[in-house]
Amino acid sequence: MRADARKNYDHLLAVAQKVLQEQGADVSMRDIARQADVGVGTLYRHFPTREALLETLLRSSFDDLAAKAAALENDAAADQALVAWLADIIGFTHEHRGILAPMMSAIEDPDSALHDACVRLKAAGASLLRRAQSAGLARADLDGAELFDLIAALAWLREQPAHAARSERLFSIVRDTILRVDR
Amino acid sequence: MRADARKNYDHLLAVAQKVLQEQGADVSMRDIARQADVGVGTLYRHFPTREALLETLLRSSFDDLAAKAAALENDAAADQALVAWLADIIGFTHEHRGILAPMMSAIEDPDSALHDACVRLKAAGASLLRRAQSAGLARADLDGAELFDLIAALAWLREQPAHAARSERLFSIVRDTILRVDR
DNA sequence: ACCTGAACACCGTTCAAGT
DNA sequence: ACCTGAACACCGTTCAAGT
């Protein structure tokens, strides 16, 4: 990459990170280019789609979540490992406001730049679930796709301002359903 | 209302109903006006906000849901009454693609034209829940707000194309959580 | 090779001007 | 009293023209 291009690329990423943090993942592409003092075309040249930008920005976070899942595979308590990871995912989507919608589209669109990251997350969750099920610590009649739906639904709720106060309560309800705990 | 205004109003409603059905509740206001062969200003004059239009279009459906809830209050099986009504709500939001987002905003915005309808639904659900709880048929540690969140989350899932195949399965999982059924 | 920004096709919403 | 649609301030995305 040419030096000027590299500089634009890096600067764009830095600015995008800040702007996404402040405005959410659905901020306008124009706004990002504007804040970076760069033509819109330059933004699109480096990141042909919003998903490509999000993927680049969040790659390390996705890697962290995958690594965390892998580490938790060796955790003694298979149920607590699963729950801890679910909480991490929800925390992640909550930190990155607006990321859920593109992720939900990406999971069924193999051409999306976010597709692989989503598939990895889903697989990691499924694996943790299977392990908990093998240990008899999670309900057996649940598969990875259903688990993903439940997490996505909780993540969506968490994005609703009205719901904020009940966030932890509902997480624990769903958690107990997954683990099949009676209280 | 003047005769020409009345005619525009009625025509606008008829066209909006058709267009919303085809395109979803987030269709552009411009498109509605265009399809109705009317200036945008005329649409805004009759319906100052998208919520006002939606409220008018769906008023009878909201009334039906409220009436249904009232009728179910006298149903012998308090648990089945609650579940049947939940299914109705989810069916309603699914029939009217795109209605969930404005409803979620409306419930915390007293100025929204949809606010009252949402509050009524929430209250109706809470009442059916209390009745089921009194009969010992629903878990006691759940309140109306939490129930509303759970329904909203299921309704949201149902709007996700990827989730379609698991829709009924997840409904039954959440249903059993609410009723606290062990299988 | 890369950048720019005008251009195109859209929005939501308002409001002066017309009937 | 009501209707119209241009006007304003935005979008996403592309691509000819410039460096």
Side-chain angles (χ1 to χ4, degrees):
Chain A
M1 190 158 16
R2 229 166 62 179
D4 55 344
R6 166 102 260 154
K7 200 181 144 199
N8 272 329
Y9 180 89
D10 293 340
H11 183 229
L12 233 14
L13 270 185
V15 170
Q17 177 131 53
K18 200 196 63 188
V19 176
L20 276 259
Q21 159 100 40
E22 290 164 4
Q23 317 245 120
D26 54 350
V27 68
S28 83
M29 293 294 266
R30 262 190 151 86
D31 230 38
I32 297 170
R34 208 147 38 204
Q35 301 251 12
D37 272 308
V38 143
V40 260
T42 303
L43 176 55
Y44 276 98
R45 154 168 278 263
H46 288 297
F47 306 101
T49 61
R50 176 187 303 275
E51 288 72 34
L53 174 60
L54 292 173
E55 197 278 329
T56 305
L57 273 176
L58 300 176
R59 192 174 304 161
S60 65
S61 300
F62 283 124
D63 287 346
D64 289 351
L65 285 169
K68 181 86 175 274
L72 285 166
E73 289 276 359
N74 300 315
D75 197 283
D79 55 347
Q80 291 313 311
L82 174 59
V83 168
W85 194 73
L86 299 187
D88 277 355
I89 295 258
I90 292 172
F92 166 77
T93 59
H94 190 238
E95 265 170 52
H96 300 95
R97 192 162 34 106
I99 192 64
L100 186 63
M103 282 178 69
M104 285 304 279
S105 314
I107 200 145
E108 57 174 335
D109 174 13
D111 295 335
S112 167
L114 285 170
H115 183 72
D116 288 357
C118 292
V119 167
R120 273 169 75 202
L121 290 188
K122 188 168 158 181
S127 176
L128 285 169
L129 173 63
R130 271 194 302 273
R131 187 164 154 266
Q133 286 170 328
S134 299
L137 295 170
R139 58 191 287 166
D141 66 335
L142 202 67
D143 66 22
E146 288 158 0
L147 178 69
F148 193 81
D149 277 350
L150 287 173
I151 306 167
L154 284 177
W156 175 78
L157 274 178
R158 189 106 190 243
E159 278 192 353
Q160 310 301 312
H163 160 77
R166 294 179 296 283
S167 169
E168 300 198 5
R169 176 93 180 89
L170 280 162
F171 178 78
S172 76
I173 289 175
V174 172
R175 176 198 64 202
D176 292 349
T177 301
I178 293 169
L179 303 182
R180 230 202 224 215
V181 174
D182 272 340
R183 261 144 318 100
Chain B
M1 187 158 17
R2 227 167 62 179
D4 55 344
R6 167 101 260 156
K7 200 180 144 198
N8 272 330
Y9 180 89
D10 293 339
H11 183 227
L12 233 14
L13 270 185
V15 169
Q17 175 130 55
K18 198 196 64 187
V19 176
L20 277 258
Q21 159 101 40
E22 290 164 2
Q23 317 245 118
D26 54 350
V27 68
S28 83
M29 293 294 267
R30 263 190 150 86
D31 231 37
I32 297 170
R34 208 146 37 204
Q35 302 252 11
D37 272 309
V38 144
V40 261
T42 303
L43 176 55
Y44 276 98
R45 156 169 275 262
H46 289 296
F47 306 100
T49 62
R50 175 187 303 276
E51 287 72 35
L53 174 60
L54 291 173
E55 197 278 328
T56 305
L57 273 176
L58 301 176
R59 192 175 305 160
S60 65
S61 300
F62 284 124
D63 287 345
D64 289 350
L65 285 169
K68 181 84 177 272
L72 285 166
E73 289 278 357
N74 299 316
D75 197 284
D79 54 348
Q80 292 312 310
L82 174 59
V83 168
W85 194 74
L86 299 187
D88 276 356
I89 296 259
I90 292 173
F92 165 77
T93 59
H94 190 238
E95 265 170 52
H96 301 95
R97 192 163 32 106
I99 191 64
L100 187 63
M103 282 178 69
M104 286 304 280
S105 314
I107 201 147
E108 58 175 335
D109 173 13
D111 294 335
S112 166
L114 285 171
H115 183 72
D116 287 357
C118 292
V119 168
R120 274 168 74 203
L121 290 187
K122 188 169 158 181
S127 177
L128 285 169
L129 173 63
R130 270 194 303 273
R131 187 163 155 266
Q133 286 170 329
S134 300
L137 295 170
R139 58 192 286 167
D141 65 336
L142 201 66
D143 66 22
E146 288 157 0
L147 178 68
F148 193 82
D149 277 350
L150 286 173
I151 307 167
L154 284 178
W156 175 79
L157 274 178
R158 189 107 190 243
E159 278 192 352
Q160 310 302 311
H163 159 78
R166 293 179 296 283
S167 169
E168 300 198 5
R169 176 93 180 89
L170 280 161
F171 178 78
S172 76
I173 289 174
V174 172
R175 176 199 64 202
D176 292 348
T177 302
I178 294 169
L179 302 183
R180 231 203 224 213
V181 174
D182 271 341
R183 265 146 314 102

